[in-house]
Each structure stands twice: as C-alpha cells, then as structure tokens.
Amino acid sequence: MKSYHVTTLNEFIIERQADFAYAKGELSRLLYSIGVAAKIVNKKVNKAGLVDILGASGEINVQGEEQKKLDIFADKQFIGALKASGECCGLATEENDEIVTFDTDMSKDGKYIVCMDPLDGSSNIDVNVSIGTIFSIYRRITPRGTKPEKEDFLQIGSKQIAAGYVIYGSSTMMVYTTGRGVNGFTLDPSIGEFCLSNPEIKTPKYGTIYSINEGNYVDFPEGVKKFIKYCQEIEPETNRPYTSRYIGSLVADFHRNLLKGGIYLYPSTAKDPIGKLRLLYECNPIAFLAEQAGGLASDGVNRILKMKPESLHQRIPFYTGSVDLVQKVEEFIAKN
Ligand code: P6P
C-alpha cells in the first residue's frame, strides 16, 4: 500500500535536527516559530482586499519608504513569535531603525539572532502580486544572558546558521536551508501545515531568464548594459534571446529563477547609487539559499557571503541565480 504520508515542516525540522549534534532543539523551535508567524501573516495577506489591512500606514521607515499596514502587521507577528520562541535574543528588521532586543531572561539566554524583511515587495500588496518574508539566522557572538549588540548582526553571510523565505503567492511556500541543501514546503490550508513539496532544490546551472527593472537602463553600469544586450542577441545555439521576467518582488523573482534557472539583477542606479537591496536581510539569506542550491550570488565583483556588513540597513548591488549567468554578468562588469 503506497504511503500517502506527507512530511510536515515540523516533522522535517525534527528529522533534520539529528544533523546538528550540538543542538538540543533550539534551532528547531526557532524555525517552528517562524512557520507559525508565517501562517498568521498568510491569513492576513490572503484576505488583504477584504479587511482594513491594505494601503499606507502613514509611517515612513528608516529606508525612507512608505510603510504599508501589512508591513507593520507582519513585523509585529514575527517579532512576537520569535520572542515567544525563547531561542532568539534579538532581531534586525527592515521596519526598525535599530535592533529589537528581548529583555526576558529566557530570550536573553537565546543562542540566536535573526535578520528579517518581514514583508518584501510590499508595493505589490495592493495589486495582489506575490510578496514574501525573508529571514536569516546567526548564532550570537556576544555572551548569552546579556542583551545582543550590533556586532551580533554585522556578521559575514557565511556565518549564517539558516536562511529562508516565505512566498505568499498562488500557493504559500516556505523555502529554507540550514547549510545542508534547500527544501521547499507548501502550505496545505486544509490542515494548516507546511508540507514537503520540493525536496533538495537544485537550481539549473544554465539559465535563460533574466530579471531586472529595465526602466533604470540608462543609469546601469556599462557592463550591465552589455549583459542585457547579450541576453537579447539572437543565437539559437546558446538559447538566446533569453526571456525577460520581472515581478518587482525579490522573493517571487528569485523563487521562479531558483526552480527554472535564471538571474536576478539589481545594479546601482541613479536613485540607488550603491544598489537598493539590503545586505543583512535580503542579499545574505538569498545568497545562502542560492549557493546551497548550486547557484551564485555577488555584488558584481565580490561573493556576497564573504562581505563584512558595515551597518544594519546597508545596501549593495545584487546579482544572483544560475552559475553561468552570474559569471557572465561579472565578466561584462570586469571588462567595462
Ligand atoms: P524596483 C521590493 O521593494 C524590492 O526590495 C524587491 O523585492 C524588488 O525586487 C525590488 O525592490 C523592486 O525594486 O525599483 O524595480 O521597483
């Protein structure tokens, strides 16, 4: 009799906990709490048009960006869930200028810190386009039992213990890595569980999709302009012209390219001369996932996971996806 047992996220986390000889379930509890908060945010996102959760909050965040009501709702949900987990001593999130620290004895003793974009792509909320949550987990480096310091959050990306995203799309998925491959879980609303749907995700080495906001073309570095023209040339033996796909939501663009192959590019522009995406809670977690799935992630010159962060909301140029495409854009940048 064929087994129809699906593996839930919680079962998978516990199964894989054995990989962590030193862990006594702390990371499992942390990932579980992120999954719970994601389900609560998902409920709100799915009803966004029906409840008073759309639109601007009237607040501006540290990025100088208009905060959406759903941004703030998501931020509070994840902060609450991580505080309740007792395993996290503090967070850095896109919605908070400074680090958020927890002062309960249990949380101060937490081994981990989390960097998070609670709701990425929020400009798409009001038009029902996929959005996402991005998270990155590190072991704290300051002594347990004390409040975490900024240095706990400014670690290089290769020190990440785990990273992942939730995509609130046609279905809701959670995709994460703990450094032993990438696995995807789809939320089954009928049982309220994330179920293993995409085990051991590997991204194609050769991609034919490029994702970039070509509205900024005139401001792109010369090498990026040359790469875009390369993608558009007709050369059937290398499957060109490639396909341009850009949703304007990093998680959605990255997720499609992860599964199908492709490259996401956010170069420096006139509006964002050092790039738009944030190193701590967008580029580092996505880079960890990309590399774990067999892809690459760079700022056009340097490997993302080796970059030392200087500040919580630091922005950098960002190129990630299939090996051949990331290497190709790096070649064009180096030559121009
Ligand atoms: P633009 C969303 O604000 C975000 O950070 C990413 O999710 C997305 O890929 C990018 O910015 C979109 O930026 O300038 O093309 O609208």
Side-chain angles (χ1 to χ4, degrees), residues 237-301:
E237 55 272 23
T238 53
N239 300 311
R240 287 182 289 151
Y242 293 150
T243 296
S244 173
R245 287 281 183 278
Y246 191 69
I247 299 171
S249 187
L250 168 62
V251 171
D253 280 313
F254 177 76
H255 183 70
R256 179 203 53 245
N257 294 352
L258 180 73
L259 299 183
K260 291 178 173 255
I263 183 171
Y264 170 93
L265 310 93
Y266 208 103
S268 56
T269 64
K271 180 168 175 281
D272 294 300
I274 53 170
K276 175 180 183 184
L277 297 192
R278 278 56 57 125
L279 176 55
L280 253 59
Y281 40 79
E282 289 173 325
C283 303
N284 267 334
I286 294 296
F288 190 17
L289 288 159
E291 291 197 3
Q292 282 291 310
L296 292 176
S298 90
D299 66 355
V301 179

Short mmCIF file of all heavy atoms in Angstrom, two decimals, residues 237-301:
data_model
loop_
_atom_site.label_atom_id
_atom_site.label_comp_id
_atom_site.label_asym_id
_atom_site.label_seq_id
_atom_site.Cartn_x
_atom_site.Cartn_y
_atom_site.Cartn_z
N GLU A 237 22.11 28.57 -30.69
CA GLU A 237 22.92 27.52 -30.03
C GLU A 237 23.15 27.81 -28.54
O GLU A 237 23.47 26.92 -27.77
CB GLU A 237 24.27 27.30 -30.74
CG GLU A 237 25.14 28.50 -30.93
CD GLU A 237 24.83 29.24 -32.23
OE1 GLU A 237 23.70 29.09 -32.74
OE2 GLU A 237 25.70 29.97 -32.72
N THR A 238 22.95 29.05 -28.12
CA THR A 238 23.03 29.32 -26.67
C THR A 238 21.66 29.75 -26.13
O THR A 238 21.57 30.45 -25.14
CB THR A 238 24.07 30.44 -26.37
OG1 THR A 238 23.72 31.58 -27.19
CG2 THR A 238 25.47 29.98 -26.67
N ASN A 239 20.60 29.29 -26.87
CA ASN A 239 19.20 29.54 -26.43
C ASN A 239 18.88 31.03 -26.26
O ASN A 239 18.01 31.38 -25.46
CB ASN A 239 18.92 28.83 -25.10
CG ASN A 239 19.12 27.33 -25.22
OD1 ASN A 239 18.60 26.71 -26.15
ND2 ASN A 239 19.90 26.75 -24.30
N ARG A 240 19.66 31.90 -26.98
CA ARG A 240 19.31 33.33 -26.94
C ARG A 240 18.50 33.70 -28.17
O ARG A 240 18.64 33.05 -29.20
CB ARG A 240 20.60 34.16 -26.86
CG ARG A 240 21.28 34.08 -25.49
CD ARG A 240 22.52 34.94 -25.46
NE ARG A 240 23.59 34.35 -26.26
CZ ARG A 240 24.53 35.09 -26.86
NH1 ARG A 240 24.50 36.40 -26.78
NH2 ARG A 240 25.48 34.50 -27.54
N PRO A 241 17.62 34.71 -28.00
CA PRO A 241 17.44 35.63 -26.87
C PRO A 241 16.83 34.93 -25.65
O PRO A 241 16.00 34.02 -25.81
CB PRO A 241 16.50 36.70 -27.41
CG PRO A 241 15.72 36.03 -28.48
CD PRO A 241 16.66 35.02 -29.10
N TYR A 242 17.27 35.35 -24.45
CA TYR A 242 16.70 34.82 -23.23
C TYR A 242 15.33 35.47 -23.02
O TYR A 242 14.90 36.32 -23.78
CB TYR A 242 17.63 35.14 -22.05
CG TYR A 242 18.97 34.40 -22.10
CD1 TYR A 242 20.11 34.98 -21.55
CD2 TYR A 242 19.09 33.15 -22.70
CE1 TYR A 242 21.34 34.33 -21.58
CE2 TYR A 242 20.30 32.49 -22.74
CZ TYR A 242 21.42 33.09 -22.18
OH TYR A 242 22.63 32.44 -22.22
N THR A 243 14.69 35.06 -21.93
CA THR A 243 13.36 35.59 -21.58
C THR A 243 13.49 36.60 -20.45
O THR A 243 14.21 36.34 -19.47
CB THR A 243 12.45 34.43 -21.12
OG1 THR A 243 12.27 33.54 -22.22
CG2 THR A 243 11.11 34.93 -20.65
N SER A 244 12.82 37.74 -20.58
CA SER A 244 12.82 38.75 -19.52
C SER A 244 11.58 38.54 -18.65
O SER A 244 10.46 38.46 -19.18
CB SER A 244 12.77 40.16 -20.14
OG SER A 244 12.61 41.13 -19.13
N ARG A 245 11.80 38.36 -17.36
CA ARG A 245 10.68 38.20 -16.43
C ARG A 245 10.99 39.03 -15.19
O ARG A 245 12.03 38.82 -14.55
CB ARG A 245 10.50 36.73 -16.00
CG ARG A 245 9.92 35.82 -17.09
CD ARG A 245 8.42 35.99 -17.21
NE ARG A 245 7.85 35.05 -18.19
CZ ARG A 245 7.84 35.27 -19.51
NH1 ARG A 245 8.38 36.41 -19.99
NH2 ARG A 245 7.32 34.39 -20.34
N TYR A 246 10.16 40.00 -14.84
CA TYR A 246 10.41 40.84 -13.66
C TYR A 246 9.09 41.15 -12.96
O TYR A 246 8.22 41.78 -13.53
CB TYR A 246 11.11 42.14 -14.06
CG TYR A 246 11.64 42.94 -12.88
CD1 TYR A 246 12.71 42.47 -12.13
CD2 TYR A 246 11.07 44.16 -12.51
CE1 TYR A 246 13.21 43.20 -11.04
CE2 TYR A 246 11.56 44.89 -11.44
CZ TYR A 246 12.63 44.41 -10.71
OH TYR A 246 13.11 45.12 -9.64
N ILE A 247 8.96 40.65 -11.72
CA ILE A 247 7.71 40.82 -10.97
C ILE A 247 7.78 42.06 -10.09
O ILE A 247 6.79 42.68 -9.75
CB ILE A 247 7.44 39.56 -10.12
CG1 ILE A 247 7.29 38.32 -11.02
CG2 ILE A 247 6.20 39.74 -9.25
CD1 ILE A 247 7.23 37.01 -10.25
N GLY A 248 9.02 42.43 -9.69
CA GLY A 248 9.20 43.56 -8.78
C GLY A 248 9.05 43.13 -7.33
O GLY A 248 8.85 43.94 -6.44
N SER A 249 9.17 41.83 -7.10
CA SER A 249 9.15 41.28 -5.75
C SER A 249 10.29 40.25 -5.70
O SER A 249 10.21 39.21 -6.36
CB SER A 249 7.78 40.60 -5.52
OG SER A 249 7.64 40.18 -4.21
N LEU A 250 11.34 40.59 -4.95
CA LEU A 250 12.55 39.77 -4.96
C LEU A 250 12.25 38.30 -4.72
O LEU A 250 12.73 37.43 -5.46
CB LEU A 250 13.53 40.29 -3.90
CG LEU A 250 14.73 39.40 -3.56
CD1 LEU A 250 15.62 39.19 -4.77
CD2 LEU A 250 15.53 40.00 -2.41
N VAL A 251 11.42 38.01 -3.71
CA VAL A 251 11.17 36.61 -3.36
C VAL A 251 10.54 35.88 -4.54
O VAL A 251 10.92 34.76 -4.88
CB VAL A 251 10.28 36.51 -2.10
CG1 VAL A 251 9.84 35.08 -1.85
CG2 VAL A 251 11.04 37.02 -0.88
N ALA A 252 9.57 36.54 -5.19
CA ALA A 252 8.88 35.89 -6.33
C ALA A 252 9.82 35.70 -7.52
O ALA A 252 9.86 34.62 -8.12
CB ALA A 252 7.65 36.72 -6.73
N ASP A 253 10.60 36.73 -7.84
CA ASP A 253 11.54 36.60 -8.96
C ASP A 253 12.62 35.56 -8.66
O ASP A 253 12.94 34.72 -9.51
CB ASP A 253 12.19 37.96 -9.27
CG ASP A 253 11.29 38.88 -10.09
OD1 ASP A 253 10.71 38.40 -11.10
OD2 ASP A 253 11.13 40.06 -9.72
N PHE A 254 13.12 35.58 -7.42
CA PHE A 254 14.17 34.62 -7.06
C PHE A 254 13.62 33.19 -7.06
O PHE A 254 14.25 32.27 -7.58
CB PHE A 254 14.76 34.94 -5.68
CG PHE A 254 15.79 33.93 -5.24
CD1 PHE A 254 17.07 33.95 -5.78
CD2 PHE A 254 15.48 32.95 -4.31
CE1 PHE A 254 18.02 33.00 -5.41
CE2 PHE A 254 16.41 31.99 -3.93
CZ PHE A 254 17.69 32.03 -4.48
N HIS A 255 12.42 33.01 -6.52
CA HIS A 255 11.84 31.66 -6.42
C HIS A 255 11.66 31.06 -7.81
O HIS A 255 12.03 29.90 -8.05
CB HIS A 255 10.50 31.72 -5.67
CG HIS A 255 9.85 30.41 -5.45
ND1 HIS A 255 10.34 29.47 -4.57
CD2 HIS A 255 8.76 29.84 -6.04
CE1 HIS A 255 9.57 28.39 -4.60
NE2 HIS A 255 8.60 28.59 -5.47
N ARG A 256 11.14 31.83 -8.74
CA ARG A 256 10.94 31.31 -10.11
C ARG A 256 12.29 30.93 -10.72
O ARG A 256 12.47 29.83 -11.27
CB ARG A 256 10.26 32.36 -11.00
CG ARG A 256 10.05 31.89 -12.45
CD ARG A 256 9.91 33.05 -13.40
NE ARG A 256 11.00 33.98 -13.27
CZ ARG A 256 10.86 35.24 -12.84
NH1 ARG A 256 9.66 35.72 -12.55
NH2 ARG A 256 11.90 36.02 -12.70
N ASN A 257 13.27 31.83 -10.58
CA ASN A 257 14.59 31.56 -11.17
C ASN A 257 15.30 30.38 -10.48
O ASN A 257 16.01 29.61 -11.12
CB ASN A 257 15.48 32.81 -11.09
CG ASN A 257 14.95 33.95 -11.95
OD1 ASN A 257 14.01 33.78 -12.73
ND2 ASN A 257 15.53 35.13 -11.80
N LEU A 258 15.06 30.23 -9.17
CA LEU A 258 15.66 29.10 -8.43
C LEU A 258 15.18 27.78 -9.03
O LEU A 258 15.96 26.85 -9.25
CB LEU A 258 15.25 29.18 -6.96
CG LEU A 258 15.77 28.11 -6.02
CD1 LEU A 258 17.26 28.32 -5.73
CD2 LEU A 258 14.98 28.10 -4.70
N LEU A 259 13.90 27.69 -9.33
CA LEU A 259 13.33 26.43 -9.83
C LEU A 259 13.59 26.23 -11.32
O LEU A 259 13.84 25.12 -11.77
CB LEU A 259 11.81 26.39 -9.55
CG LEU A 259 11.39 26.47 -8.08
CD1 LEU A 259 9.86 26.34 -7.96
CD2 LEU A 259 12.07 25.39 -7.24
N LYS A 260 13.56 27.33 -12.10
CA LYS A 260 13.65 27.19 -13.56
C LYS A 260 15.04 27.55 -14.11
O LYS A 260 15.33 27.27 -15.27
CB LYS A 260 12.62 28.11 -14.23
CG LYS A 260 11.17 27.70 -14.01
CD LYS A 260 10.21 28.67 -14.67
CE LYS A 260 8.77 28.16 -14.59
NZ LYS A 260 8.28 27.64 -15.87
N GLY A 261 15.85 28.23 -13.31
CA GLY A 261 17.13 28.74 -13.82
C GLY A 261 16.94 30.18 -14.27
O GLY A 261 15.90 30.55 -14.81
N GLY A 262 17.94 31.01 -14.00
CA GLY A 262 17.86 32.42 -14.42
C GLY A 262 18.69 33.28 -13.49
O GLY A 262 19.37 32.78 -12.59
N ILE A 263 18.64 34.60 -13.72
CA ILE A 263 19.42 35.53 -12.91
C ILE A 263 18.55 36.72 -12.53
O ILE A 263 17.77 37.23 -13.34
CB ILE A 263 20.69 36.01 -13.65
CG1 ILE A 263 21.53 36.94 -12.75
CG2 ILE A 263 20.36 36.67 -14.98
CD1 ILE A 263 22.90 37.29 -13.32
N TYR A 264 18.69 37.14 -11.26
CA TYR A 264 18.04 38.36 -10.77
C TYR A 264 19.14 39.42 -10.62
O TYR A 264 20.21 39.13 -10.04
CB TYR A 264 17.38 38.09 -9.42
CG TYR A 264 16.88 39.33 -8.71
CD1 TYR A 264 15.57 39.77 -8.86
CD2 TYR A 264 17.74 40.11 -7.93
CE1 TYR A 264 15.11 40.92 -8.23
CE2 TYR A 264 17.29 41.28 -7.31
CZ TYR A 264 15.98 41.67 -7.47
OH TYR A 264 15.54 42.83 -6.84
N LEU A 265 18.88 40.60 -11.14
CA LEU A 265 19.89 41.66 -11.08
C LEU A 265 19.28 42.93 -10.49
O LEU A 265 18.22 43.35 -10.94
CB LEU A 265 20.42 42.00 -12.47
CG LEU A 265 20.91 40.90 -13.40
CD1 LEU A 265 19.76 40.41 -14.32
CD2 LEU A 265 22.06 41.38 -14.26
N TYR A 266 19.96 43.50 -9.48
CA TYR A 266 19.59 44.85 -9.05
C TYR A 266 20.87 45.69 -8.95
O TYR A 266 21.50 45.74 -7.89
CB TYR A 266 18.80 44.90 -7.75
CG TYR A 266 17.90 46.13 -7.75
CD1 TYR A 266 16.54 46.03 -7.99
CD2 TYR A 266 18.44 47.42 -7.63
CE1 TYR A 266 15.74 47.16 -8.07
CE2 TYR A 266 17.66 48.55 -7.74
CZ TYR A 266 16.31 48.42 -7.97
OH TYR A 266 15.52 49.54 -8.09
N PRO A 267 21.29 46.29 -10.06
CA PRO A 267 22.55 47.04 -10.08
C PRO A 267 22.40 48.39 -9.36
O PRO A 267 21.31 48.75 -8.92
CB PRO A 267 22.80 47.28 -11.57
CG PRO A 267 21.77 46.50 -12.30
CD PRO A 267 20.63 46.29 -11.36
N SER A 268 23.49 49.13 -9.30
CA SER A 268 23.39 50.51 -8.82
C SER A 268 22.63 51.32 -9.87
O SER A 268 22.67 51.01 -11.06
CB SER A 268 24.80 51.10 -8.65
OG SER A 268 25.49 51.00 -9.89
N THR A 269 21.85 52.30 -9.40
CA THR A 269 21.11 53.16 -10.35
C THR A 269 21.29 54.60 -9.86
O THR A 269 21.88 54.83 -8.81
CB THR A 269 19.60 52.84 -10.32
OG1 THR A 269 19.09 53.17 -9.01
CG2 THR A 269 19.34 51.36 -10.62
N ALA A 270 20.76 55.55 -10.62
CA ALA A 270 20.87 56.96 -10.20
C ALA A 270 20.14 57.14 -8.86
O ALA A 270 20.63 57.78 -7.93
CB ALA A 270 20.25 57.86 -11.26
N LYS A 271 18.96 56.49 -8.73
CA LYS A 271 18.16 56.63 -7.49
C LYS A 271 18.82 55.89 -6.34
O LYS A 271 18.79 56.32 -5.19
CB LYS A 271 16.75 56.10 -7.77
CG LYS A 271 15.79 56.19 -6.58
CD LYS A 271 14.33 55.92 -7.01
CE LYS A 271 13.38 55.88 -5.83
NZ LYS A 271 13.44 54.56 -5.11
N ASP A 272 19.44 54.76 -6.65
CA ASP A 272 20.12 53.95 -5.61
C ASP A 272 21.57 53.70 -6.04
O ASP A 272 21.89 52.63 -6.54
CB ASP A 272 19.40 52.61 -5.42
CG ASP A 272 17.99 52.80 -4.84
OD1 ASP A 272 17.88 53.35 -3.72
OD2 ASP A 272 17.00 52.43 -5.52
N PRO A 273 22.44 54.73 -5.88
CA PRO A 273 23.81 54.64 -6.43
C PRO A 273 24.68 53.54 -5.83
O PRO A 273 25.68 53.16 -6.41
CB PRO A 273 24.40 56.02 -6.13
CG PRO A 273 23.47 56.70 -5.20
CD PRO A 273 22.14 56.04 -5.30
N ILE A 274 24.26 53.00 -4.63
CA ILE A 274 25.04 51.86 -4.09
C ILE A 274 24.19 50.60 -4.13
O ILE A 274 24.45 49.64 -3.43
CB ILE A 274 25.53 52.14 -2.65
CG1 ILE A 274 24.36 52.54 -1.75
CG2 ILE A 274 26.61 53.20 -2.65
CD1 ILE A 274 24.71 52.60 -0.28
N GLY A 275 23.11 50.63 -4.93
CA GLY A 275 22.20 49.48 -5.00
C GLY A 275 21.01 49.70 -4.09
O GLY A 275 21.05 50.55 -3.18
N LYS A 276 19.96 48.92 -4.27
CA LYS A 276 18.73 49.11 -3.48
C LYS A 276 18.57 48.04 -2.41
O LYS A 276 18.05 48.31 -1.32
CB LYS A 276 17.51 49.08 -4.42
CG LYS A 276 16.19 49.15 -3.67
CD LYS A 276 14.99 49.13 -4.58
CE LYS A 276 13.71 49.29 -3.78
NZ LYS A 276 12.50 49.18 -4.62
N LEU A 277 19.01 46.83 -2.71
CA LEU A 277 18.71 45.71 -1.80
C LEU A 277 19.62 45.73 -0.58
O LEU A 277 20.78 46.14 -0.65
CB LEU A 277 18.81 44.38 -2.55
CG LEU A 277 17.81 44.22 -3.70
CD1 LEU A 277 17.80 42.80 -4.17
CD2 LEU A 277 16.40 44.65 -3.33
N ARG A 278 19.07 45.27 0.56
CA ARG A 278 19.78 45.34 1.83
C ARG A 278 20.58 44.06 2.06
O ARG A 278 20.07 42.94 1.88
CB ARG A 278 18.78 45.52 2.98
CG ARG A 278 18.27 46.94 3.25
CD ARG A 278 17.62 47.71 2.12
NE ARG A 278 16.49 47.08 1.54
CZ ARG A 278 15.27 47.64 1.43
NH1 ARG A 278 15.08 48.83 1.92
NH2 ARG A 278 14.29 47.00 0.83
N LEU A 279 21.82 44.23 2.45
CA LEU A 279 22.74 43.10 2.62
C LEU A 279 22.25 42.14 3.70
O LEU A 279 22.20 40.92 3.48
CB LEU A 279 24.14 43.61 2.95
CG LEU A 279 25.21 42.56 3.26
CD1 LEU A 279 25.35 41.56 2.13
CD2 LEU A 279 26.56 43.25 3.55
N LEU A 280 21.85 42.68 4.87
CA LEU A 280 21.60 41.81 6.02
C LEU A 280 20.40 40.91 5.86
O LEU A 280 20.45 39.72 6.20
CB LEU A 280 21.40 42.66 7.28
CG LEU A 280 22.53 42.65 8.29
CD1 LEU A 280 23.81 43.13 7.68
CD2 LEU A 280 22.18 43.47 9.53
N TYR A 281 19.28 41.49 5.36
CA TYR A 281 18.04 40.70 5.40
C TYR A 281 17.41 40.48 4.04
O TYR A 281 16.27 40.03 3.94
CB TYR A 281 17.02 41.35 6.34
CG TYR A 281 16.94 42.85 6.29
CD1 TYR A 281 16.25 43.49 5.28
CD2 TYR A 281 17.57 43.64 7.25
CE1 TYR A 281 16.17 44.86 5.21
CE2 TYR A 281 17.50 45.02 7.19
CZ TYR A 281 16.80 45.63 6.17
OH TYR A 281 16.73 47.02 6.11
N GLU A 282 18.14 40.80 2.96
CA GLU A 282 17.70 40.38 1.62
C GLU A 282 18.83 39.62 0.93
O GLU A 282 18.68 38.44 0.62
CB GLU A 282 17.28 41.62 0.80
CG GLU A 282 15.97 42.24 1.29
CD GLU A 282 15.63 43.57 0.59
OE1 GLU A 282 16.55 44.34 0.28
OE2 GLU A 282 14.43 43.81 0.38
N CYS A 283 19.98 40.27 0.74
CA CYS A 283 21.04 39.64 -0.06
C CYS A 283 21.68 38.43 0.63
O CYS A 283 21.83 37.37 0.00
CB CYS A 283 22.11 40.68 -0.40
SG CYS A 283 21.43 42.11 -1.29
N ASN A 284 22.04 38.53 1.91
CA ASN A 284 22.71 37.40 2.56
C ASN A 284 21.85 36.14 2.62
O ASN A 284 22.31 35.05 2.22
CB ASN A 284 23.17 37.80 3.97
CG ASN A 284 24.62 38.30 3.96
OD1 ASN A 284 25.41 37.92 3.09
ND2 ASN A 284 24.95 39.14 4.91
N PRO A 285 20.58 36.23 3.08
CA PRO A 285 19.79 34.99 3.11
C PRO A 285 19.54 34.41 1.72
O PRO A 285 19.64 33.19 1.50
CB PRO A 285 18.47 35.41 3.78
CG PRO A 285 18.46 36.90 3.82
CD PRO A 285 19.87 37.36 3.72
N ILE A 286 19.26 35.28 0.74
CA ILE A 286 19.03 34.79 -0.63
C ILE A 286 20.33 34.18 -1.18
O ILE A 286 20.31 33.14 -1.86
CB ILE A 286 18.51 35.93 -1.52
CG1 ILE A 286 17.10 36.39 -1.06
CG2 ILE A 286 18.48 35.53 -2.99
CD1 ILE A 286 16.01 35.36 -1.18
N ALA A 287 21.47 34.81 -0.86
CA ALA A 287 22.75 34.27 -1.34
C ALA A 287 23.04 32.90 -0.74
O ALA A 287 23.52 31.98 -1.44
CB ALA A 287 23.88 35.24 -0.98
N PHE A 288 22.72 32.71 0.54
CA PHE A 288 22.93 31.41 1.20
C PHE A 288 22.10 30.33 0.49
O PHE A 288 22.58 29.26 0.13
CB PHE A 288 22.55 31.54 2.67
CG PHE A 288 22.93 30.37 3.56
CD1 PHE A 288 23.86 29.42 3.18
CD2 PHE A 288 22.33 30.23 4.81
CE1 PHE A 288 24.20 28.35 4.01
CE2 PHE A 288 22.66 29.16 5.66
CZ PHE A 288 23.59 28.22 5.24
N LEU A 289 20.83 30.68 0.22
CA LEU A 289 19.95 29.73 -0.48
C LEU A 289 20.46 29.44 -1.89
O LEU A 289 20.51 28.28 -2.32
CB LEU A 289 18.53 30.31 -0.56
CG LEU A 289 17.75 30.36 0.75
CD1 LEU A 289 16.62 31.38 0.66
CD2 LEU A 289 17.18 28.99 1.10
N ALA A 290 20.86 30.51 -2.60
CA ALA A 290 21.34 30.34 -3.98
C ALA A 290 22.52 29.39 -4.02
O ALA A 290 22.55 28.43 -4.80
CB ALA A 290 21.71 31.70 -4.58
N GLU A 291 23.49 29.60 -3.13
CA GLU A 291 24.70 28.76 -3.14
C GLU A 291 24.37 27.33 -2.71
O GLU A 291 24.87 26.36 -3.30
CB GLU A 291 25.79 29.37 -2.25
CG GLU A 291 26.37 30.65 -2.79
CD GLU A 291 27.71 31.02 -2.15
OE1 GLU A 291 28.22 30.25 -1.31
OE2 GLU A 291 28.25 32.09 -2.50
N GLN A 292 23.49 27.18 -1.72
CA GLN A 292 23.12 25.84 -1.27
C GLN A 292 22.38 25.07 -2.36
O GLN A 292 22.37 23.84 -2.38
CB GLN A 292 22.23 25.94 -0.01
CG GLN A 292 23.03 26.22 1.25
CD GLN A 292 23.90 25.03 1.66
OE1 GLN A 292 23.41 23.90 1.73
NE2 GLN A 292 25.18 25.28 1.86
N ALA A 293 21.75 25.82 -3.29
CA ALA A 293 21.03 25.16 -4.39
C ALA A 293 21.92 25.02 -5.63
O ALA A 293 21.45 24.62 -6.70
CB ALA A 293 19.77 25.95 -4.74
N GLY A 294 23.21 25.39 -5.51
CA GLY A 294 24.14 25.24 -6.63
C GLY A 294 24.27 26.47 -7.50
O GLY A 294 24.81 26.42 -8.61
N GLY A 295 23.77 27.61 -7.02
CA GLY A 295 23.89 28.87 -7.78
C GLY A 295 24.95 29.77 -7.18
O GLY A 295 25.79 29.34 -6.38
N LEU A 296 24.91 31.07 -7.59
CA LEU A 296 25.89 32.05 -7.11
C LEU A 296 25.18 33.33 -6.70
O LEU A 296 24.03 33.57 -7.07
CB LEU A 296 26.89 32.37 -8.24
CG LEU A 296 27.87 31.28 -8.68
CD1 LEU A 296 28.70 31.77 -9.87
CD2 LEU A 296 28.76 30.85 -7.53
N ALA A 297 25.90 34.16 -5.95
CA ALA A 297 25.37 35.48 -5.57
C ALA A 297 26.55 36.42 -5.35
O ALA A 297 27.46 36.11 -4.58
CB ALA A 297 24.53 35.40 -4.30
N SER A 298 26.53 37.57 -6.04
CA SER A 298 27.64 38.53 -5.89
C SER A 298 27.13 39.96 -6.00
O SER A 298 25.97 40.19 -6.37
CB SER A 298 28.70 38.27 -6.96
OG SER A 298 28.45 39.01 -8.13
N ASP A 299 28.03 40.89 -5.71
CA ASP A 299 27.67 42.31 -5.90
C ASP A 299 28.20 42.78 -7.26
O ASP A 299 28.34 43.95 -7.52
CB ASP A 299 28.21 43.20 -4.77
CG ASP A 299 29.75 43.25 -4.77
OD1 ASP A 299 30.39 42.52 -5.58
OD2 ASP A 299 30.30 44.04 -3.97
N GLY A 300 28.54 41.81 -8.09
CA GLY A 300 29.10 42.09 -9.42
C GLY A 300 30.59 41.83 -9.45
O GLY A 300 31.17 41.63 -10.51
N VAL A 301 31.19 41.87 -8.24
CA VAL A 301 32.64 41.63 -8.11
C VAL A 301 32.91 40.62 -6.99
O VAL A 301 33.60 39.63 -7.18
CB VAL A 301 33.40 42.94 -7.80
CG1 VAL A 301 34.90 42.68 -7.64
CG2 VAL A 301 33.13 43.97 -8.89
#
